[in-house]
Amino acid sequence: MENFDFHVTTDIRFGKDRLAELPEALNQFGKKVLIVYGGGSIKKIGLYDKVMEQLKANGNEVFELAGVEPNPRVETVRRGAEICRKEKIDVLLAVGGGSTIDCAKVVAAAAKFDGDAWDLVLQRRGYQGGALPLVTILTLAATGSEMNSGAVISNLETHQKLGTGSKAMLPKVSFLDPQNTFSVNKYQTAAGSADIMSHLIENYFKRTEGADIQDSVSEGLMRSVIKNCPIALKDPTDYDARANLMWASTLALNGLTGNGKPGAWSCHPMEHELSAFYDITHGVGLAILTPRWMEYSLNDETVDKFAHFAWNVWNVEEKVPMLAARIGIQKLYDYFKACGIPMTLPEVGIDEEKFEEMAKQAVAHSTIKTDAFVPLDEAAVKEIYTACLTESNFE
Amino acid sequence: MENFDFHVTTDIRFGKDRLAELPEALNQFGKKVLIVYGGGSIKKIGLYDKVMEQLKANGNEVFELAGVEPNPRVETVRRGAEICRKEKIDVLLAVGGGSTIDCAKVVAAAAKFDGDAWDLVLQRRGYQGGALPLVTILTLAATGSEMNSGAVISNLETHQKLGTGSKAMLPKVSFLDPQNTFSVNKYQTAAGSADIMSHLIENYFKRTEGADIQDSVSEGLMRSVIKNCPIALKDPTDYDARANLMWASTLALNGLTGNGKPGAWSCHPMEHELSAFYDITHGVGLAILTPRWMEYSLNDETVDKFAHFAWNVWNVEEKVPMLAARIGIQKLYDYFKACGIPMTLPEVGIDEEKFEEMAKQAVAHSTIKTDAFVPLDEAAVKEIYTACLTESNFE
């Protein structure tokens, strides 16, 4: 296990019907609120009205940044930062999923940044400036953005989708009410769960050895997602299933499973290019890539880790490590498929045309060539993309 | 899953050789430091000198509260609070295990409390006042006190050992260097690991259903402890084994496995009476009691939970739940024994003389009669104590 810090100060309010606490959460920071949200699903489920009712009774002055995209764009960040500066906003309130929260984080920082928002994003994890305080109300179990300091912003002009973030962007308070995810449709529920699984898998498959705590916590969270996603797909209003998925999303990416295990993630850099070029659903891209990446990365040196993944996450009974490993990969693939996720790239409208270009970018925008579990150069990325063109069988 | 808060702001500095960060951690609060420690083991391992070197170079004015007992006593708390008031201490620095940190927490609060320290303890979790800031350097993987707001203080005059605590007592910064536990002897290593296991088991066996995340994280942490404690017993300087035990101790009791699962703990109230009356090692008392408590609590209504404990923590292959449950209990008992823990009360100098009185107190000082996984009245507690008089076989 490597040295690490763990200092995650977000005040989590988990559970049913806690919006009456919203005024107290906001009033610590001021009365001028910028509410940030996406395409209007929060209006459909009545959450927007409930929030506004609280803000009105609390005497807040409310401004709006609406229409945040599923892969939030830098133009929207610029628009939000402009409102913050002009209206002297005290606190941001993001109501939505990871994209909305990511956008709000970078708006909060860009409002205090002397320069263009994209230049801030380009600082990646190096931004040292301040940010306005952010409170979030989560409506989708997926990215974990509600309790971490990272954000992903897209620039469609330059075909870039980049991770950025800083301690100042960590949400101050996050309201996690599983009921707010009851209306999430099957496709997005499955994609969100795939995103959670991917975060856990990315941290699990790193080269650092001896991090049993991080890995056994990951295994536990994976088992919970594997159990609860199908329940939520079958009965979208099953409270405990939604609660377990929501809390899994938060814990998968708040440092618990990754801190102490340095090294690059493998699938996210490859997926970010798919989303940047084709604007597909992030979790779907990850579900498609992950089993093929696993097959590419499975070899005599890495087999132990894959076998443990099979035994501890999937209860595979096969004792021979290489055979167990392949069964584990197959189980992951079958599981995603059973959740209704399209498991080839053509099904989401992607062919081989841009594989070369995307592979170049994936390597250029990350350190997968040197720091991934199994180093991935451009040829490797292209090989993995190519394996996603057709159905797979790993056993 | 029930509603819960999770807001644990302790700044964790985990890993090797990070004492150079100590001045920066303390300087946020001031220069007058009260260093709190136990019986001198920190001098033996050279940690005291290293800390003093940092404090001297940092220009701190240092006062000392030495000799904190393994079950810290209210007299020591009073002594510490008096120093804080008289010397206008800015920040406490606890260097030691859970007892030292617990003592420092209550000293920090008592220094700001207008009344006797024992009256503060008697407020239990109801203390609303302030506390001086606390920084800790952990030297024993056991209680989790380094990242929570609780403390246990003993009053030998009244035969009371009571939990207390408040948000104000949460450590601000905790340094967790696994190397500081290399010199912990086999007995204390095993007892500390039993304490960790007990915290996980107490939270696991609660009546709340549908808390898969909390339970699967617990299972993962238990598996890690079960794997790493024997390694540390065999090779006390195995860094990863010590690191995994240390991080397990912290996560077992920082809210991750318990929040969202209300209800009373079962074994701790029973053990607190053993320690209060006989001053035995807390973790040893827990190890002795837990398997017997499990046998008492195993019935047709509770068998599912015990079977999952057997399957998911101990990899028991038996499929019949009641049989699997008994094998799981046996495995826990055998594991503690293999770690060198004396597994009967007579071995630690306790006979049946005070069972009646201790059972009364255990019920009086807790809510186990109504809120435990299986309700425990005085007769039940006495029955469990009695089962600890001789070796057990659960299968």
Side-chain angles (χ1 to χ4, degrees), chain B residues 7 9-10 102 105-106 108-110 120-121 123-132 134 145 147-152 163-172:
Chain B
H7 188 208
T9 56
T10 307
D102 280 10
K105 282 177 180 175
V106 187
L120 189 159
V121 172
Q123 294 191 19
R124 312 299 296 271
R125 304 292 306 194
Y127 177 67
Q128 297 289 329
L132 290 172
L134 168 64
S145 189
M147 200 185 185
N148 67 39
S149 58
V152 179
T164 185
S166 79
K167 209 160 181 173
M169 299 186 208
L170 184 73
K172 303 295 185 214

PDB file of all heavy atoms in Angstrom, chain B residues 7 9-10 102 105-106 108-110 120-121 123-132 134 145 147-152 163-172:
ATOM      1  N   HIS B   7     -20.449  12.619   7.860  1.00  0.00           N
ATOM      2  CA  HIS B   7     -19.702  13.885   7.783  1.00  0.00           C
ATOM      3  C   HIS B   7     -18.485  13.742   8.685  1.00  0.00           C
ATOM      4  O   HIS B   7     -18.499  14.131   9.849  1.00  0.00           O
ATOM      5  CB  HIS B   7     -20.605  15.038   8.244  1.00  0.00           C
ATOM      6  CG  HIS B   7     -19.998  16.387   8.010  1.00  0.00           C
ATOM      7  ND1 HIS B   7     -20.281  17.480   8.776  1.00  0.00           N
ATOM      8  CD2 HIS B   7     -19.106  16.810   7.077  1.00  0.00           C
ATOM      9  CE1 HIS B   7     -19.600  18.527   8.328  1.00  0.00           C
ATOM     10  NE2 HIS B   7     -18.877  18.150   7.314  1.00  0.00           N
ATOM     11  N   THR B   9     -14.776  14.657   9.008  1.00  0.00           N
ATOM     12  CA  THR B   9     -13.871  15.639   8.408  1.00  0.00           C
ATOM     13  C   THR B   9     -12.407  15.449   8.792  1.00  0.00           C
ATOM     14  O   THR B   9     -11.563  16.252   8.388  1.00  0.00           O
ATOM     15  CB  THR B   9     -14.307  17.051   8.819  1.00  0.00           C
ATOM     16  OG1 THR B   9     -14.353  17.103  10.253  1.00  0.00           O
ATOM     17  CG2 THR B   9     -15.695  17.365   8.281  1.00  0.00           C
ATOM     18  N   THR B  10     -12.098  14.392   9.536  1.00  0.00           N
ATOM     19  CA  THR B  10     -10.702  14.172   9.937  1.00  0.00           C
ATOM     20  C   THR B  10      -9.790  14.084   8.712  1.00  0.00           C
ATOM     21  O   THR B  10     -10.096  13.381   7.756  1.00  0.00           O
ATOM     22  CB  THR B  10     -10.564  12.876  10.761  1.00  0.00           C
ATOM     23  OG1 THR B  10     -11.487  12.919  11.845  1.00  0.00           O
ATOM     24  CG2 THR B  10      -9.154  12.719  11.297  1.00  0.00           C
ATOM     25  N   ASP B 102      -8.865   8.476  23.127  1.00  0.00           N
ATOM     26  CA  ASP B 102     -10.129   8.675  23.838  1.00  0.00           C
ATOM     27  C   ASP B 102      -9.948   9.660  24.992  1.00  0.00           C
ATOM     28  O   ASP B 102     -10.748  10.580  25.187  1.00  0.00           O
ATOM     29  CB  ASP B 102     -10.649   7.347  24.408  1.00  0.00           C
ATOM     30  CG  ASP B 102     -11.360   6.504  23.352  1.00  0.00           C
ATOM     31  OD1 ASP B 102     -11.294   6.856  22.157  1.00  0.00           O
ATOM     32  OD2 ASP B 102     -11.992   5.499  23.725  1.00  0.00           O
ATOM     33  N   LYS B 105      -9.568  13.173  23.744  1.00  0.00           N
ATOM     34  CA  LYS B 105     -10.840  13.744  23.283  1.00  0.00           C
ATOM     35  C   LYS B 105     -11.622  14.350  24.444  1.00  0.00           C
ATOM     36  O   LYS B 105     -12.149  15.453  24.342  1.00  0.00           O
ATOM     37  CB  LYS B 105     -11.715  12.641  22.644  1.00  0.00           C
ATOM     38  CG  LYS B 105     -11.320  12.251  21.250  1.00  0.00           C
ATOM     39  CD  LYS B 105     -12.220  11.096  20.767  1.00  0.00           C
ATOM     40  CE  LYS B 105     -11.851  10.678  19.357  1.00  0.00           C
ATOM     41  NZ  LYS B 105     -12.620   9.501  18.909  1.00  0.00           N
ATOM     42  N   VAL B 106     -11.695  13.587  25.541  1.00  0.00           N
ATOM     43  CA  VAL B 106     -12.528  14.056  26.651  1.00  0.00           C
ATOM     44  C   VAL B 106     -11.811  15.162  27.419  1.00  0.00           C
ATOM     45  O   VAL B 106     -12.449  16.092  27.919  1.00  0.00           O
ATOM     46  CB  VAL B 106     -12.965  12.874  27.540  1.00  0.00           C
ATOM     47  CG1 VAL B 106     -13.973  13.333  28.585  1.00  0.00           C
ATOM     48  CG2 VAL B 106     -13.606  11.781  26.674  1.00  0.00           C
ATOM     49  N   ALA B 108     -10.016  17.359  25.875  1.00  0.00           N
ATOM     50  CA  ALA B 108     -10.245  18.513  24.986  1.00  0.00           C
ATOM     51  C   ALA B 108     -11.607  19.146  25.249  1.00  0.00           C
ATOM     52  O   ALA B 108     -11.760  20.368  25.202  1.00  0.00           O
ATOM     53  CB  ALA B 108     -10.134  18.072  23.528  1.00  0.00           C
ATOM     54  N   ALA B 109     -12.603  18.295  25.513  1.00  0.00           N
ATOM     55  CA  ALA B 109     -13.944  18.813  25.797  1.00  0.00           C
ATOM     56  C   ALA B 109     -14.046  19.315  27.238  1.00  0.00           C
ATOM     57  O   ALA B 109     -14.611  20.393  27.490  1.00  0.00           O
ATOM     58  CB  ALA B 109     -14.983  17.724  25.541  1.00  0.00           C
ATOM     59  N   ALA B 110     -13.467  18.556  28.161  1.00  0.00           N
ATOM     60  CA  ALA B 110     -13.562  18.928  29.582  1.00  0.00           C
ATOM     61  C   ALA B 110     -12.910  20.285  29.843  1.00  0.00           C
ATOM     62  O   ALA B 110     -13.341  21.031  30.724  1.00  0.00           O
ATOM     63  CB  ALA B 110     -12.923  17.845  30.455  1.00  0.00           C
ATOM     64  N   LEU B 120     -19.554  15.387  32.428  1.00  0.00           N
ATOM     65  CA  LEU B 120     -19.511  15.467  30.963  1.00  0.00           C
ATOM     66  C   LEU B 120     -19.661  14.067  30.372  1.00  0.00           C
ATOM     67  O   LEU B 120     -20.453  13.848  29.450  1.00  0.00           O
ATOM     68  CB  LEU B 120     -18.185  16.097  30.528  1.00  0.00           C
ATOM     69  CG  LEU B 120     -18.001  16.473  29.062  1.00  0.00           C
ATOM     70  CD1 LEU B 120     -16.897  17.508  28.927  1.00  0.00           C
ATOM     71  CD2 LEU B 120     -17.685  15.277  28.175  1.00  0.00           C
ATOM     72  N   VAL B 121     -18.911  13.104  30.908  1.00  0.00           N
ATOM     73  CA  VAL B 121     -19.012  11.722  30.414  1.00  0.00           C
ATOM     74  C   VAL B 121     -20.450  11.220  30.548  1.00  0.00           C
ATOM     75  O   VAL B 121     -20.974  10.554  29.641  1.00  0.00           O
ATOM     76  CB  VAL B 121     -18.039  10.791  31.181  1.00  0.00           C
ATOM     77  CG1 VAL B 121     -18.274   9.335  30.807  1.00  0.00           C
ATOM     78  CG2 VAL B 121     -16.588  11.188  30.895  1.00  0.00           C
ATOM     79  N   GLN B 123     -23.080  12.703  30.169  1.00  0.00           N
ATOM     80  CA  GLN B 123     -23.970  13.206  29.117  1.00  0.00           C
ATOM     81  C   GLN B 123     -23.981  12.271  27.910  1.00  0.00           C
ATOM     82  O   GLN B 123     -24.758  12.470  26.981  1.00  0.00           O
ATOM     83  CB  GLN B 123     -23.549  14.619  28.681  1.00  0.00           C
ATOM     84  CG  GLN B 123     -23.720  15.658  29.768  1.00  0.00           C
ATOM     85  CD  GLN B 123     -23.546  17.083  29.239  1.00  0.00           C
ATOM     86  OE1 GLN B 123     -23.635  17.338  28.050  1.00  0.00           O
ATOM     87  NE2 GLN B 123     -23.300  18.014  30.152  1.00  0.00           N
ATOM     88  N   ARG B 124     -23.050  11.281  27.930  1.00  0.00           N
ATOM     89  CA  ARG B 124     -22.937  10.292  26.858  1.00  0.00           C
ATOM     90  C   ARG B 124     -22.788  10.968  25.495  1.00  0.00           C
ATOM     91  O   ARG B 124     -21.856  11.719  25.294  1.00  0.00           O
ATOM     92  CB  ARG B 124     -24.119   9.303  26.880  1.00  0.00           C
ATOM     93  CG  ARG B 124     -24.422   8.731  28.266  1.00  0.00           C
ATOM     94  CD  ARG B 124     -23.250   7.939  28.852  1.00  0.00           C
ATOM     95  NE  ARG B 124     -22.936   6.775  28.088  1.00  0.00           N
ATOM     96  CZ  ARG B 124     -23.451   5.562  28.251  1.00  0.00           C
ATOM     97  NH1 ARG B 124     -24.328   5.373  29.220  1.00  0.00           N
ATOM     98  NH2 ARG B 124     -23.074   4.545  27.516  1.00  0.00           N
ATOM     99  N   ARG B 125     -23.707  10.742  24.534  1.00  0.00           N
ATOM    100  CA  ARG B 125     -23.561  11.376  23.213  1.00  0.00           C
ATOM    101  C   ARG B 125     -24.280  12.724  23.163  1.00  0.00           C
ATOM    102  O   ARG B 125     -24.433  13.310  22.094  1.00  0.00           O
ATOM    103  CB  ARG B 125     -24.126  10.470  22.114  1.00  0.00           C
ATOM    104  CG  ARG B 125     -23.530   9.071  22.045  1.00  0.00           C
ATOM    105  CD  ARG B 125     -22.103   9.029  21.608  1.00  0.00           C
ATOM    106  NE  ARG B 125     -21.858   9.715  20.342  1.00  0.00           N
ATOM    107  CZ  ARG B 125     -20.745   9.590  19.631  1.00  0.00           C
ATOM    108  NH1 ARG B 125     -19.771   8.820  20.057  1.00  0.00           N
ATOM    109  NH2 ARG B 125     -20.587  10.240  18.507  1.00  0.00           N
ATOM    110  N   GLY B 126     -24.693  13.228  24.319  1.00  0.00           N
ATOM    111  CA  GLY B 126     -25.497  14.451  24.329  1.00  0.00           C
ATOM    112  C   GLY B 126     -24.707  15.734  24.531  1.00  0.00           C
ATOM    113  O   GLY B 126     -25.284  16.812  24.550  1.00  0.00           O
ATOM    114  N   TYR B 127     -23.391  15.647  24.663  1.00  0.00           N
ATOM    115  CA  TYR B 127     -22.587  16.849  24.923  1.00  0.00           C
ATOM    116  C   TYR B 127     -22.627  17.795  23.727  1.00  0.00           C
ATOM    117  O   TYR B 127     -22.310  17.401  22.605  1.00  0.00           O
ATOM    118  CB  TYR B 127     -21.149  16.445  25.241  1.00  0.00           C
ATOM    119  CG  TYR B 127     -20.214  17.617  25.466  1.00  0.00           C
ATOM    120  CD1 TYR B 127     -20.361  18.448  26.564  1.00  0.00           C
ATOM    121  CD2 TYR B 127     -19.188  17.885  24.555  1.00  0.00           C
ATOM    122  CE1 TYR B 127     -19.498  19.526  26.766  1.00  0.00           C
ATOM    123  CE2 TYR B 127     -18.328  18.958  24.755  1.00  0.00           C
ATOM    124  CZ  TYR B 127     -18.489  19.775  25.864  1.00  0.00           C
ATOM    125  OH  TYR B 127     -17.646  20.839  26.055  1.00  0.00           O
ATOM    126  N   GLN B 128     -23.044  19.022  23.958  1.00  0.00           N
ATOM    127  CA  GLN B 128     -23.190  19.982  22.859  1.00  0.00           C
ATOM    128  C   GLN B 128     -22.130  21.079  22.904  1.00  0.00           C
ATOM    129  O   GLN B 128     -22.115  21.944  22.023  1.00  0.00           O
ATOM    130  CB  GLN B 128     -24.583  20.644  22.937  1.00  0.00           C
ATOM    131  CG  GLN B 128     -25.754  19.690  22.770  1.00  0.00           C
ATOM    132  CD  GLN B 128     -25.885  19.173  21.340  1.00  0.00           C
ATOM    133  OE1 GLN B 128     -25.542  19.873  20.389  1.00  0.00           O
ATOM    134  NE2 GLN B 128     -26.360  17.950  21.182  1.00  0.00           N
ATOM    135  N   GLY B 129     -21.283  21.051  23.913  1.00  0.00           N
ATOM    136  CA  GLY B 129     -20.292  22.120  24.051  1.00  0.00           C
ATOM    137  C   GLY B 129     -19.114  21.955  23.099  1.00  0.00           C
ATOM    138  O   GLY B 129     -19.069  21.040  22.289  1.00  0.00           O
ATOM    139  N   GLY B 130     -18.159  22.840  23.236  1.00  0.00           N
ATOM    140  CA  GLY B 130     -16.997  22.823  22.357  1.00  0.00           C
ATOM    141  C   GLY B 130     -15.894  21.917  22.875  1.00  0.00           C
ATOM    142  O   GLY B 130     -16.038  21.241  23.902  1.00  0.00           O
ATOM    143  N   ALA B 131     -14.807  21.898  22.147  1.00  0.00           N
ATOM    144  CA  ALA B 131     -13.626  21.138  22.555  1.00  0.00           C
ATOM    145  C   ALA B 131     -12.407  21.778  21.916  1.00  0.00           C
ATOM    146  O   ALA B 131     -12.515  22.375  20.834  1.00  0.00           O
ATOM    147  CB  ALA B 131     -13.749  19.681  22.125  1.00  0.00           C
ATOM    148  N   LEU B 132     -11.273  21.646  22.571  1.00  0.00           N
ATOM    149  CA  LEU B 132     -10.032  22.084  21.938  1.00  0.00           C
ATOM    150  C   LEU B 132      -9.740  21.177  20.742  1.00  0.00           C
ATOM    151  O   LEU B 132     -10.140  20.017  20.731  1.00  0.00           O
ATOM    152  CB  LEU B 132      -8.880  22.007  22.949  1.00  0.00           C
ATOM    153  CG  LEU B 132      -8.931  23.033  24.090  1.00  0.00           C
ATOM    154  CD1 LEU B 132      -7.858  22.713  25.125  1.00  0.00           C
ATOM    155  CD2 LEU B 132      -8.727  24.451  23.545  1.00  0.00           C
ATOM    156  N   LEU B 134      -7.874  18.610  18.293  1.00  0.00           N
ATOM    157  CA  LEU B 134      -7.062  17.425  18.611  1.00  0.00           C
ATOM    158  C   LEU B 134      -6.410  16.879  17.342  1.00  0.00           C
ATOM    159  O   LEU B 134      -7.079  16.667  16.330  1.00  0.00           O
ATOM    160  CB  LEU B 134      -7.980  16.355  19.232  1.00  0.00           C
ATOM    161  CG  LEU B 134      -7.410  14.943  19.387  1.00  0.00           C
ATOM    162  CD1 LEU B 134      -6.236  14.923  20.349  1.00  0.00           C
ATOM    163  CD2 LEU B 134      -8.496  13.971  19.854  1.00  0.00           C
ATOM    164  N   SER B 145     -10.688   5.150  17.051  1.00  0.00           N
ATOM    165  CA  SER B 145     -10.879   6.463  17.676  1.00  0.00           C
ATOM    166  C   SER B 145     -10.249   7.590  16.862  1.00  0.00           C
ATOM    167  O   SER B 145     -10.666   8.741  16.959  1.00  0.00           O
ATOM    168  CB  SER B 145     -10.281   6.431  19.093  1.00  0.00           C
ATOM    169  OG  SER B 145     -10.622   7.585  19.815  1.00  0.00           O
ATOM    170  N   MET B 147     -10.582   8.375  13.897  1.00  0.00           N
ATOM    171  CA  MET B 147     -11.447   9.012  12.891  1.00  0.00           C
ATOM    172  C   MET B 147     -12.914   8.949  13.290  1.00  0.00           C
ATOM    173  O   MET B 147     -13.791   8.801  12.443  1.00  0.00           O
ATOM    174  CB  MET B 147     -11.243   8.344  11.517  1.00  0.00           C
ATOM    175  CG  MET B 147     -11.695   9.212  10.346  1.00  0.00           C
ATOM    176  SD  MET B 147     -11.580   8.319   8.768  1.00  0.00           S
ATOM    177  CE  MET B 147     -12.025   9.615   7.612  1.00  0.00           C
ATOM    178  N   ASN B 148     -13.188   9.054  14.589  1.00  0.00           N
ATOM    179  CA  ASN B 148     -14.584   9.172  15.007  1.00  0.00           C
ATOM    180  C   ASN B 148     -14.688  10.084  16.217  1.00  0.00           C
ATOM    181  O   ASN B 148     -13.675  10.564  16.739  1.00  0.00           O
ATOM    182  CB  ASN B 148     -15.218   7.803  15.255  1.00  0.00           C
ATOM    183  CG  ASN B 148     -14.627   7.083  16.447  1.00  0.00           C
ATOM    184  OD1 ASN B 148     -14.328   7.692  17.475  1.00  0.00           O
ATOM    185  ND2 ASN B 148     -14.445   5.781  16.318  1.00  0.00           N
ATOM    186  N   SER B 149     -15.917  10.303  16.632  1.00  0.00           N
ATOM    187  CA  SER B 149     -16.150  11.315  17.666  1.00  0.00           C
ATOM    188  C   SER B 149     -16.463  10.692  19.023  1.00  0.00           C
ATOM    189  O   SER B 149     -16.908  11.385  19.923  1.00  0.00           O
ATOM    190  CB  SER B 149     -17.298  12.215  17.233  1.00  0.00           C
ATOM    191  OG  SER B 149     -18.457  11.432  17.010  1.00  0.00           O
ATOM    192  N   GLY B 150     -16.226   9.394  19.176  1.00  0.00           N
ATOM    193  CA  GLY B 150     -16.554   8.715  20.427  1.00  0.00           C
ATOM    194  C   GLY B 150     -15.345   8.503  21.320  1.00  0.00           C
ATOM    195  O   GLY B 150     -14.200   8.565  20.871  1.00  0.00           O
ATOM    196  N   ALA B 151     -15.617   8.239  22.580  1.00  0.00           N
ATOM    197  CA  ALA B 151     -14.563   7.942  23.549  1.00  0.00           C
ATOM    198  C   ALA B 151     -15.179   7.108  24.666  1.00  0.00           C
ATOM    199  O   ALA B 151     -16.367   7.200  24.935  1.00  0.00           O
ATOM    200  CB  ALA B 151     -13.992   9.232  24.128  1.00  0.00           C
ATOM    201  N   VAL B 152     -14.342   6.284  25.297  1.00  0.00           N
ATOM    202  CA  VAL B 152     -14.809   5.467  26.422  1.00  0.00           C
ATOM    203  C   VAL B 152     -13.931   5.785  27.627  1.00  0.00           C
ATOM    204  O   VAL B 152     -12.703   5.734  27.536  1.00  0.00           O
ATOM    205  CB  VAL B 152     -14.737   3.962  26.088  1.00  0.00           C
ATOM    206  CG1 VAL B 152     -15.212   3.139  27.272  1.00  0.00           C
ATOM    207  CG2 VAL B 152     -15.566   3.639  24.856  1.00  0.00           C
ATOM    208  N   GLY B 163     -19.363   5.040  27.297  1.00  0.00           N
ATOM    209  CA  GLY B 163     -19.100   5.731  26.045  1.00  0.00           C
ATOM    210  C   GLY B 163     -19.654   7.142  26.098  1.00  0.00           C
ATOM    211  O   GLY B 163     -20.713   7.385  26.663  1.00  0.00           O
ATOM    212  N   THR B 164     -18.907   8.057  25.505  1.00  0.00           N
ATOM    213  CA  THR B 164     -19.344   9.443  25.426  1.00  0.00           C
ATOM    214  C   THR B 164     -18.828   9.987  24.093  1.00  0.00           C
ATOM    215  O   THR B 164     -18.225   9.243  23.326  1.00  0.00           O
ATOM    216  CB  THR B 164     -18.807  10.242  26.638  1.00  0.00           C
ATOM    217  OG1 THR B 164     -19.346  11.559  26.605  1.00  0.00           O
ATOM    218  CG2 THR B 164     -17.292  10.327  26.642  1.00  0.00           C
ATOM    219  N   GLY B 165     -19.079  11.246  23.821  1.00  0.00           N
ATOM    220  CA  GLY B 165     -18.546  11.787  22.576  1.00  0.00           C
ATOM    221  C   GLY B 165     -19.422  12.859  21.983  1.00  0.00           C
ATOM    222  O   GLY B 165     -20.580  13.027  22.363  1.00  0.00           O
ATOM    223  N   SER B 166     -18.840  13.602  21.044  1.00  0.00           N
ATOM    224  CA  SER B 166     -19.581  14.642  20.324  1.00  0.00           C
ATOM    225  C   SER B 166     -18.774  15.038  19.102  1.00  0.00           C
ATOM    226  O   SER B 166     -17.576  14.768  19.022  1.00  0.00           O
ATOM    227  CB  SER B 166     -19.801  15.864  21.198  1.00  0.00           C
ATOM    228  OG  SER B 166     -18.624  16.638  21.243  1.00  0.00           O
ATOM    229  N   LYS B 167     -19.430  15.681  18.174  1.00  0.00           N
ATOM    230  CA  LYS B 167     -18.782  16.120  16.936  1.00  0.00           C
ATOM    231  C   LYS B 167     -17.532  16.951  17.219  1.00  0.00           C
ATOM    232  O   LYS B 167     -16.543  16.865  16.492  1.00  0.00           O
ATOM    233  CB  LYS B 167     -19.782  16.935  16.111  1.00  0.00           C
ATOM    234  CG  LYS B 167     -19.538  16.862  14.639  1.00  0.00           C
ATOM    235  CD  LYS B 167     -20.773  17.238  13.831  1.00  0.00           C
ATOM    236  CE  LYS B 167     -20.451  17.127  12.348  1.00  0.00           C
ATOM    237  NZ  LYS B 167     -21.634  17.307  11.513  1.00  0.00           N
ATOM    238  N   ALA B 168     -17.591  17.735  18.297  1.00  0.00           N
ATOM    239  CA  ALA B 168     -16.453  18.611  18.621  1.00  0.00           C
ATOM    240  C   ALA B 168     -15.204  17.811  18.977  1.00  0.00           C
ATOM    241  O   ALA B 168     -14.086  18.322  18.907  1.00  0.00           O
ATOM    242  CB  ALA B 168     -16.824  19.540  19.769  1.00  0.00           C
ATOM    243  N   MET B 169     -15.382  16.560  19.352  1.00  0.00           N
ATOM    244  CA  MET B 169     -14.240  15.744  19.782  1.00  0.00           C
ATOM    245  C   MET B 169     -13.578  14.980  18.618  1.00  0.00           C
ATOM    246  O   MET B 169     -12.577  14.299  18.809  1.00  0.00           O
ATOM    247  CB  MET B 169     -14.684  14.731  20.844  1.00  0.00           C
ATOM    248  CG  MET B 169     -15.239  15.374  22.119  1.00  0.00           C
ATOM    249  SD  MET B 169     -15.587  14.109  23.386  1.00  0.00           S
ATOM    250  CE  MET B 169     -16.905  14.899  24.313  1.00  0.00           C
ATOM    251  N   LEU B 170     -14.147  15.068  17.440  1.00  0.00           N
ATOM    252  CA  LEU B 170     -13.558  14.399  16.274  1.00  0.00           C
ATOM    253  C   LEU B 170     -12.149  14.949  16.011  1.00  0.00           C
ATOM    254  O   LEU B 170     -11.971  16.156  15.927  1.00  0.00           O
ATOM    255  CB  LEU B 170     -14.448  14.672  15.049  1.00  0.00           C
ATOM    256  CG  LEU B 170     -14.071  13.988  13.749  1.00  0.00           C
ATOM    257  CD1 LEU B 170     -14.387  12.503  13.804  1.00  0.00           C
ATOM    258  CD2 LEU B 170     -14.824  14.621  12.573  1.00  0.00           C
ATOM    259  N   PRO B 171     -11.142  14.073  15.877  1.00  0.00           N
ATOM    260  CA  PRO B 171      -9.792  14.575  15.591  1.00  0.00           C
ATOM    261  C   PRO B 171      -9.757  15.405  14.306  1.00  0.00           C
ATOM    262  O   PRO B 171     -10.430  15.072  13.331  1.00  0.00           O
ATOM    263  CB  PRO B 171      -8.960  13.293  15.433  1.00  0.00           C
ATOM    264  CG  PRO B 171      -9.684  12.270  16.243  1.00  0.00           C
ATOM    265  CD  PRO B 171     -11.150  12.612  16.077  1.00  0.00           C
ATOM    266  N   LYS B 172      -8.971  16.479  14.335  1.00  0.00           N
ATOM    267  CA  LYS B 172      -8.840  17.332  13.147  1.00  0.00           C
ATOM    268  C   LYS B 172      -7.909  16.682  12.129  1.00  0.00           C
ATOM    269  O   LYS B 172      -8.166  16.732  10.931  1.00  0.00           O
ATOM    270  CB  LYS B 172      -8.281  18.706  13.531  1.00  0.00           C
ATOM    271  CG  LYS B 172      -9.092  19.459  14.568  1.00  0.00           C
ATOM    272  CD  LYS B 172     -10.464  19.826  14.058  1.00  0.00           C
ATOM    273  CE  LYS B 172     -11.204  20.678  15.084  1.00  0.00           C
ATOM    274  NZ  LYS B 172     -12.645  20.424  15.080  1.00  0.00           N
TER     275      LYS B 172
END
